[in-house]
Amino acid sequence: MYQNNDARAARLPAAQRCDNALLPSGYARRSFVHASGLAAALCRWARPIPNLGTARLRPRAYAMRARSSSLLLALLLSTAYAGQSDNHPQGHATRLSQVPTLDGNVVDDPAWNGLRPFTGFRQLRPDNGAPASQRTEVFFGFTENALHVGLICHETDPAAITVSNDGVQSDSFSMVLDTFGTGLAGMVFGTNPVGAEYDGQVADGFADWNWSTLWEVRTRIHDTGWSAEFAIPFQSLRYGAGDVQSWRVNFARVIRRSNEISYWAPVPRQFNMFRLSLAGEIDGIHVPPQRRNLEVTPYALGRMNRGGHQGGVQHDDDFGIDAKYSITPGLTLDLTYNTDFAQVESDRQQVNLGRFSLFFPETRPFFLENAGSFEVGYPGTQLFHSRRIGIAGDGRRLPIHGGVRVSGKVGTATNLGFLHMRAEAEDATDRDDFTVARLSRDLANRSSVGFIATDRRDPGSGRQTYGLDGSLGIGANGQVRALAARTRTPGVDADDHAASFYGAYNSAEWTLNASYAEIGAGFDPAVGFVGRRDFRSVGTFAMRTFLDEETLRQWRPTVAYQGYWDFDGYYESGNLHVESWWVWKSGADLWPAVNFSREGVKHPFTIAGEIVPAGDYETRNFEVGVSSAPSRTWSGGAHLVTGGFYNGKRHAMSPYINYRRDESFSAWAGWDHNTIELGSEDGSFSVNLARAGFSYSFTPKVNLRALIQYNDADDVFAANVRFSWLRSANAGLYVVYNEIDARSGLGKPERELVLKYSHIIDVF
């Protein structure tokens, strides 16, 4: 799992891997958010690097190591300075006397006349803190029903404006709104010069681009640059009480040809604009009186299947409905009946080259809204993972009969989440009920405390999970997090606990963290995910960032260690990772690394049908990743690994290539190849996973996408082709073709054609 996920992360360009790109990539927008590989985890400071070391560690030695890690953590956090910079820009919103004409022409629209724009953007990169190379003007106003933002991106060389249907490869503008002013969560809206719409939810310094709401934007390219006009209905936003409000706000502009990112509110180079506590402040925002608006989204669907388990040709007509009701401006009730996700992109296949379960991210729209409110856990363990609802263990879709969700804020600092769903059981003879309750409180300086409870119940029994979690911000750069949880499973009376402690220090020069975690053998969150059980784990991570203004943008040497022991003190696995990461100003990067590893295998297991016998294995391998500048028409890279692997050797390569023609067409292809030689005479085999896809945008709302995959370990070919014609948010017409051909016996060949139409009705 470690090697495979590293390869996936390595295919992401540097701008996506570490800078949490301001707009999502059509290829990697979901992969980045959930990737557990090396590069993505470097950005999150807490990488669970699997496993290895050199010797059996006795309990006393283990305790000494844990105390040493705690001491190191205390020393790191003691260096964090108290307080945060108060050098945030201030602004005032303007009530517009007329509604702007939504056509992207800001200069000639009289609605913006007389408004003073927000300017003075400063670079995040390449020259942190320096004035932006191009002038950006933002006009911020409102009418009775909507927030309006006008934008002029001046450009001395308009011919150099880069446009693409892939947000990462395009010039762009985005804004983040922390409407409750807590510095912990918000919403982000963005566009590019050809009017693409991007929106997402921000939590804990990261954006989830899968969220969607109702709003509009229009853009225009002209002789002096490009401009845009946003119209965001207040009913699409969530905010606290009060007729006149002050929000934390930041604006970001990307100039892709020079990889320049600039912000209205300056941000130190170790953060990005999703560090909401560093945002500016805009006051005088008059919000409409509270009203309980209701949106209803019915859908109708026709499906034709050929082959599969039922054989022959099957026809199916169906319908369902979703409803959204604003209990308060900050608290929303969602209802769903006969829930369907036919329009969702297929999972990206993975090949498991380890002993532990693989993690697949959630992609279904209903579960993505306010998903951060329910997220409790740490890498490899989540107390709630919504893919347990309506998806069988083998990936089959299970009918979801319906459900209810209440999520949002009560007041300005209390977060509430409640979810109840009913779905068909895996054996198709009964049903399962899933319930999740989440309550948390935002505290000062990026701190919080919370509680979560989950229940999975069938007619015969129920299984519960309970957890307490909290975080403490220390100064501007320090953070401590802790979690304690327990499960109740019929027949399990012991070792049903989980606990973790994590601390980090992140400055412009140093990224440091230390962690401790343990999970009992009986810990089983029935509505969650656990990659492995029955262990104690200690991890440390250190990365130093050097700047070189002449040739490089950054050089980042890194050392990381992660070790696992069972509760008898047996050293099961560990990994010491040493890396040197060079990032050029163009966005190209190179990162060679070496891993010193150990695997203690207590029981034999299989990889691609080959047996790895029990034993203690100490190995070393070398890896290197490289990627070219992502803004060019052609870009690509590769990840290479060679060295020891359990009782044998592994040689792997994962090349990828991207092509961007213009704002309408982009394509990509990637290949994961592994040659593994285990200790036995017949233990040599190869594993290949190939993927290719493209996206063609007829307009920003009319799109054709395709994803084709082949996995020779299971001899599975899969194709997913989706045509979408959206009217608003994610509602509109979808035509989806799916094909799966599993020749090895995992399933019978199946072809499926789905026609689905949904429409959002604003009832009141």
Side-chain angles (χ1 to χ4, degrees):
M1 177 176 67
Y2 166 55
Q3 293 87 348
N4 180 261
N5 284 344
D6 266 1
R8 180 176 58 174
R11 287 197 301 273
L12 305 181
Q16 293 167 250
R17 287 170 49 202
C18 199
D19 292 317
N20 195 10
L22 299 179
L23 294 180
S25 161
Y27 163 49
R29 57 185 293 182
R30 296 189 179 104
S31 299
F32 172 78
V33 173
H34 298 282
S36 59
L38 170 65
L42 284 173
C43 309
R44 294 177 179 266
W45 318 331
R47 183 160 87 83
I49 305 174
N51 302 342
L52 312 170
T54 56
R56 183 183 180 99
L57 191 66
R58 300 298 180 186
R60 181 178 179 183
Y62 170 78
M64 292 176 64
R65 182 183 291 270
R67 287 194 295 270
S68 298
S69 297
S70 300
L71 178 60
L72 172 62
L73 176 61
L75 291 173
L76 299 180
L77 295 179
S78 68
T79 62
Y81 57 85
Q84 300 206 41
S85 171
D86 56 3
N87 187 27
H88 306 320
Q90 309 287 318
H92 187 78
T94 302
R95 182 187 293 276
L96 302 178
S97 58
Q98 65 184 86
V99 178
T101 301
L102 202 65
D103 59 4
N105 187 359
V106 177
V107 174
D108 298 326
D109 193 330
W112 304 110
N113 286 348
L115 269 69
R116 183 178 179 180
F118 300 142
T119 60
F121 282 50
R122 291 191 172 273
Q123 295 182 38
L124 174 74
R125 73 176 196 219
D127 188 6
N128 185 249
S133 64
Q134 305 290 330
R135 179 175 173 83
T136 304
E137 297 177 308
V138 181
F139 302 87
F140 198 92
F142 59 89
T143 57
E144 181 180 355
N145 298 313
L147 179 70
H148 294 270
V149 177
L151 162 72
I152 302 177
C153 293
H154 294 272
E155 177 58 70
T156 55
D157 184 9
I161 294 174
T162 303
V163 292
S164 171
N165 62 1
D166 185 327
V168 173
Q169 297 179 347
S170 179
D171 281 30
S172 62
F173 171 85
S174 56
M175 58 182 168
V176 63
L177 309 175
D178 177 4
T179 54
F180 290 93
T182 64
L184 292 174
M187 294 160 283
V188 59
F189 301 88
T191 190
N192 66 6
V194 292
E197 295 180 0
Y198 306 97
D199 50 14
Q201 289 181 316
V202 177
D204 196 25
F206 291 88
D208 183 353
W209 294 103
N210 293 295
W211 175 78
S212 186
T213 191
L214 293 171
W215 61 286
E216 293 183 277
V217 66
R218 297 291 184 273
T219 60
R220 177 172 297 191
I221 300 176
H222 42 76
D223 292 342
T224 60
W226 63 282
S227 57
E229 292 179 297
F230 293 77
I232 307 174
F234 281 114
Q235 70 184 47
S236 296
L237 301 173
R238 301 291 177 260
Y239 46 84
D243 296 335
V244 183
Q245 302 198 359
S246 177
W247 295 349
R248 294 178 187 261
V249 179
N250 208 350
F251 308 113
R253 179 182 176 184
V254 175
I255 302 174
R256 181 50 62 198
R257 71 176 185 277
S258 58
N259 283 315
E260 179 182 311
I261 298 177
S262 59
Y263 294 153
W264 176 57
V267 174
R269 64 174 178 263
Q270 70 268 28
F271 303 124
N272 55 41
M273 81 168 182
F274 304 138
R275 181 70 171 243
L276 299 176
S277 59
L278 299 175
E281 184 175 308
I282 297 179
D283 59 18
I285 303 170
H286 291 248
V287 298
Q290 176 179 327
R291 65 173 188 172
R292 291 173 168 81
N293 61 290
L294 173 65
E295 292 177 356
V296 176
T297 307
Y299 80 84
L301 177 147
R303 177 185 284 113
M304 182 180 70
N305 292 79
R306 180 187 295 273
H309 293 283
Q310 295 180 336
V313 178
Q314 306 290 327
H315 296 273
D316 180 28
D317 300 320
D318 210 346
F319 72 94
I321 190 168
D322 294 338
K324 184 181 296 292
Y325 178 68
S326 295
I327 302 173
T328 71
L331 194 63
T332 303
L333 169 68
D334 291 283
L335 301 170
T336 181
Y337 168 73
N338 200 22
T339 315
D340 176 79
F341 304 110
Q343 76 276 18
V344 175
E345 183 182 58
S346 297
D347 285 326
R348 298 183 185 273
Q349 295 184 32
Q350 302 180 48
V351 176
N352 195 341
L353 298 179
R355 295 176 281 168
F356 308 108
S357 300
L358 296 174
F359 181 88
F360 287 87
E362 179 62 88
T363 58
R364 298 171 294 176
F366 180 83
F367 295 107
L368 290 170
E369 183 168 358
N370 288 331
S373 301
F374 296 91
E375 191 170 292
V376 180
Y378 48 90
T381 300
Q382 290 294 321
L383 302 191
F384 171 62
H385 185 40
S386 55
R387 281 183 62 98
R388 299 295 294 271
I389 303 172
I391 299 180
D394 59 4
R396 288 180 295 112
R397 294 173 299 189
L398 302 174
I400 297 178
H401 305 302
V404 57
R405 178 182 60 206
V406 178
S407 59
K409 284 186 178 290
V410 179
T412 59
T414 300
N415 306 291
L416 174 66
F418 175 82
L419 175 72
H420 179 80
M421 304 290 292
R422 172 168 289 184
E424 185 177 282
E426 289 199 37
D427 60 9
T429 61
D430 220 318
R431 46 82 180 161
D432 285 335
D433 286 326
F434 302 83
T435 304
V436 184
R438 170 68 169 159
L439 183 66
S440 65
R441 178 76 177 178
D442 297 337
L443 304 174
N445 195 23
R446 311 180 328 277
S447 303
S448 64
V449 61
F451 170 78
I452 188 171
T454 74
D455 178 81
R456 180 172 183 171
R457 189 169 297 274
D458 58 41
S461 64
R463 292 176 285 170
Q464 294 82 38
T465 302
Y466 305 97
L468 288 170
D469 66 296
S471 65
L472 176 65
I474 302 178
N477 298 344
Q479 186 94 35
V480 174
R481 297 176 182 173
L483 169 68
R486 191 168 186 177
T487 60
R488 294 178 59 185
T489 306
V492 177
D493 299 322
D495 298 327
D496 55 0
H497 71 284
S500 70
F501 178 81
Y502 166 78
Y505 172 78
N506 191 20
S507 71
E509 291 80 24
W510 286 100
T511 299
L512 307 166
N513 68 57
S515 63
Y516 171 82
E518 65 176 62
I519 296 181
F523 184 75
D524 182 18
V527 199
F529 174 83
V530 177
R532 65 187 292 177
R533 297 177 175 85
D534 193 21
F535 72 84
R536 290 188 173 111
S537 174
V538 171
T540 57
F541 179 95
M543 181 173 70
R544 178 70 161 89
T545 299
F546 297 93
L547 300 180
D548 184 341
E549 299 296 338
E550 296 298 324
T551 57
L552 296 171
R553 191 176 87 213
Q554 292 176 340
W555 173 45
R556 296 173 172 175
T558 301
V559 178
Y561 171 78
Q562 191 81 28
Y564 294 83
W565 293 260
D566 68 15
F567 285 89
D568 294 325
Y570 175 62
Y571 188 16
E572 284 194 325
S573 54
N575 187 70
L576 175 63
H577 177 88
V578 182
E579 175 185 312
S580 185
W581 188 6
W582 292 282
V583 183
W584 282 265
K585 292 182 178 181
S586 66
D589 72 339
L590 173 68
W591 51 276
V594 60
N595 297 283
F596 302 92
S597 304
R598 171 192 167 87
E599 290 288 352
V601 180
K602 294 189 287 187
H603 306 286
F605 71 100
T606 61
I607 297 177
E610 299 295 330
I611 297 176
V612 177
D616 294 336
Y617 305 107
E618 296 180 7
T619 60
R620 179 178 60 187
N621 65 56
F622 301 91
E623 60 180 327
V624 60
V626 60
S627 63
S628 64
S631 59
R632 296 174 179 171
T633 300
W634 289 93
S635 62
H639 179 222
L640 307 175
V641 179
T642 184
F645 185 75
Y646 292 100
N647 59 331
K649 296 181 179 180
R650 171 177 175 247
H651 308 283
M653 60 179 179
S654 299
Y656 73 92
I657 189 170
N658 294 325
Y659 171 73
R660 175 186 56 82
R661 190 183 68 187
D662 51 27
E663 72 275 11
S664 61
F665 182 76
S666 61
W668 61 270
W671 176 41
D672 295 346
H673 171 77
N674 286 270
T675 298
I676 296 174
E677 302 172 3
L678 297 180
S680 64
E681 189 173 306
D682 299 324
S684 178
F685 59 94
S686 295
V687 177
N688 293 279
L689 174 57
R691 303 185 189 93
F694 72 84
S695 174
Y696 185 84
S697 298
F698 300 91
T699 73
K701 290 184 177 291
V702 182
N703 186 270
L704 177 67
R705 293 179 181 271
L707 172 64
I708 299 172
Q709 305 178 85
Y710 176 69
N711 170 6
D712 72 354
D714 298 317
D715 201 12
V716 174
F717 169 84
N720 173 244
V721 182
R722 298 180 301 143
F723 172 80
S724 59
W725 190 336
L726 303 182
R727 293 177 56 87
S728 56
N730 284 321
L733 173 67
Y734 290 90
V735 181
V736 183
Y737 173 77
N738 292 306
E739 180 175 344
I740 297 179
D741 190 353
R743 302 178 180 89
S744 64
L746 296 178
K748 296 182 179 180
E750 180 177 5
R751 295 176 177 85
E752 176 186 66
L753 180 65
V754 178
L755 178 67
K756 179 180 179 179
Y757 181 76
S758 60
H759 181 71
I760 298 176
I761 303 172
D762 191 356
V763 179
F764 58 81

